[in-house]
Coordinates of all heavy atoms in Angstrom, one line a residue:
Chain J
V419 N -58.2 9.1 -4.7 CA -57.4 8.9 -3.5 C -56.6 7.6 -3.7 O -57.0 6.7 -4.4 CB -58.4 8.7 -2.2 CG1 -59.1 10.0 -1.9 CG2 -59.3 7.6 -2.4
A420 N -55.5 7.6 -3.0 CA -54.6 6.5 -3.1 C -54.1 6.0 -1.8 O -54.1 6.8 -0.8 CB -53.3 6.9 -4.0
F421 N -53.9 4.7 -1.7 CA -53.5 4.1 -0.4 C -52.2 3.3 -0.7 O -52.1 2.6 -1.7 CB -54.6 3.2 0.2 CG -55.8 4.0 0.5 CD1 -56.8 4.1 -0.5 CD2 -56.0 4.6 1.7 CE1 -58.0 4.9 -0.2 CE2 -57.1 5.4 2.0 CZ -58.1 5.5 1.0
A422 N -51.3 3.4 0.3 CA -50.1 2.6 0.2 C -49.9 1.9 1.5 O -49.8 2.6 2.5 CB -48.9 3.5 -0.1
G423 N -49.8 0.6 1.4 CA -49.6 -0.2 2.6 C -48.1 -0.3 2.8 O -47.3 -0.4 1.8
R424 N -47.6 -0.2 4.1 CA -46.2 -0.4 4.4 C -46.1 -1.4 5.5 O -46.5 -1.1 6.7 CB -45.6 1.0 4.9 CG -45.6 2.0 3.8 CD -44.5 1.7 2.7 NE -44.4 2.6 1.6 CZ -45.0 2.4 0.4 NH1 -45.7 1.4 0.2 NH2 -44.8 3.3 -0.5
G425 N -45.7 -2.6 5.1 CA -45.8 -3.7 6.1 C -44.5 -4.4 6.4 O -43.5 -4.1 5.8
E426 N -44.6 -5.2 7.5 CA -43.4 -5.8 8.0 C -43.1 -7.1 7.3 O -43.9 -8.0 7.1 CB -43.6 -6.1 9.5 CG -42.4 -6.8 10.1 CD -42.4 -6.8 11.6 OE1 -43.3 -6.2 12.2 OE2 -41.5 -7.4 12.2
M427 N -41.8 -7.2 6.9 CA -41.4 -8.5 6.2 C -40.7 -9.3 7.3 O -40.0 -8.8 8.2 CB -40.3 -8.1 5.2 CG -39.6 -9.3 4.6 SD -38.1 -8.7 3.7 CE -37.4 -10.3 3.2
I428 N -40.8 -10.6 7.2 CA -40.1 -11.5 8.1 C -38.7 -11.8 7.5 O -38.7 -12.2 6.3 CB -40.9 -12.9 8.3 CG1 -42.3 -12.6 8.7 CG2 -40.2 -13.8 9.3 CD1 -42.5 -12.0 10.0
P429 N -37.6 -11.6 8.2 CA -36.3 -11.9 7.7 C -36.2 -13.4 7.2 O -36.8 -14.3 7.9 CB -35.3 -11.6 8.8 CG -36.2 -11.6 10.0 CD -37.6 -11.2 9.6
N430 N -35.6 -13.6 6.1 CA -35.5 -15.0 5.6 C -34.1 -15.3 5.1 O -33.3 -14.4 4.8 CB -36.6 -15.3 4.6 CG -36.4 -14.6 3.3 OD1 -35.4 -14.7 2.6 ND2 -37.4 -13.8 2.9
L431 N -33.8 -16.6 4.9 CA -32.4 -17.0 4.6 C -32.1 -16.7 3.1 O -31.0 -16.7 2.7 CB -32.3 -18.5 4.8 CG -32.2 -18.9 6.3 CD1 -32.3 -20.4 6.5 CD2 -30.9 -18.4 6.9
H432 N -33.2 -16.4 2.3 CA -33.0 -16.2 0.9 C -32.7 -14.8 0.5 O -32.6 -14.5 -0.7 CB -34.2 -16.8 0.1 CG -34.5 -18.2 0.5 ND1 -33.7 -19.3 0.2 CD2 -35.6 -18.7 1.2 CE1 -34.3 -20.4 0.7 NE2 -35.4 -20.0 1.3
S433 N -32.8 -13.9 1.5 CA -32.6 -12.5 1.2 C -31.4 -12.0 1.9 O -31.3 -11.8 3.1 CB -33.9 -11.7 1.7 OG -35.0 -12.3 1.0
Y434 N -30.4 -11.7 1.1 CA -29.1 -11.2 1.6 C -28.3 -10.6 0.5 O -28.6 -10.6 -0.7 CB -28.3 -12.4 2.2 CG -28.0 -13.5 1.3 CD1 -26.7 -13.6 0.7 CD2 -28.9 -14.5 0.9 CE1 -26.4 -14.6 -0.2 CE2 -28.6 -15.5 0.1 CZ -27.3 -15.6 -0.5 OH -27.0 -16.6 -1.4
C435 N -27.2 -9.9 0.9 CA -26.2 -9.4 -0.1 C -24.9 -10.0 0.3 O -24.6 -10.3 1.4 CB -26.3 -7.9 -0.1 SG -25.9 -7.1 1.4
E436 N -24.0 -10.1 -0.7 CA -22.7 -10.6 -0.6 C -21.8 -9.9 -1.6 O -22.3 -9.2 -2.5 CB -22.6 -12.1 -0.8 CG -23.1 -12.5 -2.2 CD -23.1 -14.0 -2.5 OE1 -22.6 -14.7 -1.7 OE2 -23.7 -14.4 -3.5
I437 N -20.5 -10.1 -1.4 CA -19.6 -9.5 -2.4 C -19.6 -10.3 -3.7 O -19.5 -11.5 -3.6 CB -18.1 -9.4 -1.8 CG1 -18.1 -8.5 -0.6 CG2 -17.2 -8.9 -2.9 CD1 -18.5 -7.1 -0.8

Side-chain angles (χ1 to χ4, degrees):
Chain J
V419 293
F421 298 90
R424 294 288 179 261
E426 179 168 357
M427 169 195 180
I428 307 294
N430 69 57
L431 289 169
H432 309 290
S433 302
Y434 61 98
C435 58
E436 60 181 349
I437 298 298

